[in-house]
Amino acid sequence: MTSTTTLRPAHLDLRWFAVALGLLAGAFLIGVVIGPAHLSVGGVVRSVLDRLPILRLDSGLTGRQEAILWEIRIPRVVLGGLVGATLAGSGAAYQGVFRNPLADPYLLGVAAGAGLGATLAIGFGWGGGWGPFAPLPLAAFVGGMAGVALTYLIGSSAGRSTLSLILAGVAVASFLTAIQTFVQQRRSETLREVYGWILGRLSTVGWNEVLLLIPYALVAAIVTIAGRGLLDILAVGDEEAASLGVAPDRVRAVLIVIATLGTAAAVAVSGLIGFVGIIVPHTVRLVAGSSYRTIVPLSLVLGAAFLIGADVLARTVVSPAELPIGVVTAFFGAPFFALVLRTARGTMS
Amino acid sequence: MTLEASGLRVRYDGHTVLDGIDLAVAPGEWVGIIGPNGAGKTTLLKALAGLLTAEGTVRVDGADIEGLSGRRRASLIALVPQRPVLPAGTRVLDYVLLGRTPHAGPLVGFARSDLDAVERTLRRLDLLAFAERDLATLSGGELRRTVLARALAQETPVLLLDEPTAALDVGRQQEVMELIDELRHERDVAVVGALHDLTLAGQFADRLLLLAGGKVVDEGHAGVVLTPDTIRRHYGARVRVVDDGTGGIVVIPVRGHVTDRTDAASR
């Protein structure tokens, strides 16, 4: 066998990854610098580098500016990045396991289920407290799991096609939203909080939300990255995947649980932010190819960059007021979704 | 024997679709599975591949596949499905590389040796020039070869084929069948192929297994199994059977009344 082979299997193109990291760094910087209190780019960069080991720099920022940077701006940008990465990564995972380019946490009832769970937690005041096992994210998680399970059961009983799955998702989401609205009306004293939560917002109290989301986001990202090769195998269908030695049901179960875990945690801290899970993986698919070896890592990085960027718009468009970030992502997401529908119409049967 | 199955029985919703099949295939041997629609050909292949729950045993090189992990099983038995799922936007190379899954382990990723195995297979099947092409741009014959390449990249001692020539023109049919014939000798692979086309079955398989209603109703060399009587009985078809002059059998469908003279001459 000559070793002159030039065959390159599908892999993560490092140039694309560098571009994605560049976008993320740019979004981070813009997200941190923009705001009512002026912070200079140089000062921010020096202050961040100063916190890294080894380097010792004088940021030139005042004590108040340092506090704004580290207690307000950076936590918010980091939270946006984590939520964006988790939603985009989960979107990619859902699209892979359902073999459906249109699958998205929003369409499959996960978000609606998590919304119901969170509304119950807020409405009935099931205890505050922050941390990964606080009642709000747990309730959102249980709701999200129930939502996707219902969608999957109804969708597969109706023939398991792309169309039946999407329709089942619509039905489940409507049903859960109806219950959520009912609970919300009964508990009108928490209406404002619940409403603000539903429209999506990245509001932070120091690093609390970031610390809450980090374990979920990390686990979801790591498992999805580890499973990216399996997603490519699932693309040939369950029976063929089994004939290649992969247990499709087990893979699907693990990845759905993980993606739902991530989505539910993200929804718990940031509310319902739609379309990130579909815009980002689809853009990646269009520019960098259809292998999940590429889609998963790029979606994670670009999802973070995208949501940080959307948050900048949410904060600046009607400044000093704020738009709910879910409004910004939907504003860009809805037209994009229409475009995806157009290009995917040949594969929708 | 490379592949041995005994007492294979499969039930769906209370009725038996495969009823006590015994089968043994030697290395390099090609057994053709024939039978009318719904006879259980595809079910038999899936049962042999361990893809559905069946009573009875399937052994490969003496090992019962029941006790093996999915990965180990996939390194012993490859299946070429009748209607493979071809994911949009996938290149030939990446598709064929999926055949290396049981060797690579899905979490670890593919090694140099996997790429080499794929390259060998692509070269052997004249697909190297197509390696970078999207599956969607291939013709029917090229697609069949690509799906076959994925199964061959698995490098298994057993190769199961479900209608490998479905939807191909007569030239591509011969091409694929000749290729399988060469490969089974080169690699000493035990081949079991469900075949619709009785002539191809008669020309290429060493032995035929005629299934009807989930049971083996006839078995043996093509000259013994492919008789107008048998075919009329199980397929409800009127045919003439001719010796092709090279030891193969040609089955010709005819209209109206048939005389069995040609059949008698070929015996």
Side-chain angles (χ1 to χ4, degrees), chain A residues 1 6 22 53 60 80 111 127 135 152 156 192 214 243 250 280 298 300 309 325:
Chain A
M1 189 82 251
T6 51
Y152 192 61
S156 48
R192 217 184 137 76
I214 267 185
S243 81
R250 210 177 309 157
V280 176
L298 283 183
L300 288 168
I325 190 167

Side-chain angles (χ1 to χ4, degrees), chain B residues 135-153:
Chain B
L135 291 177
T137 66
L138 301 186
S139 71
E142 290 156 1
L143 269 179
R144 275 285 154 193
R145 270 190 289 150
T146 301
V147 177
L148 186 60
R150 190 187 78 188
L152 290 171

Side-chain angles (χ1 to χ4, degrees), chain A residues 114-180:
Chain A
L116 174 58
T119 304
L120 289 171
I122 295 173
F124 290 91
W126 287 345
W130 288 101
F133 302 103
L136 178 60
L138 274 187
F141 175 66
V142 171
M145 283 303 288
V148 77
L150 259 178
T151 299
Y152 192 61
L153 281 176
I154 296 172
S156 48
S157 72
R160 245 184 179 171
S161 72
T162 294
L163 195 60
S164 65
L165 197 66
I166 298 273
L167 289 175
V170 169
V172 168
S174 306
F175 178 70
L176 296 176
T177 305
I179 301 178
Q180 189 208 354

Side-chain angles (χ1 to χ4, degrees), chain B residues 57-81:
Chain B
T57 57
V58 177
R59 289 174 186 279
V60 178
D61 291 332
D64 189 339
I65 65 163
E66 179 88 41
L68 301 178
S69 69
R71 222 177 119 188
R72 180 83 188 104
R73 204 171 54 218
S75 67
L76 295 174
I77 305 170
L79 171 66
V80 174

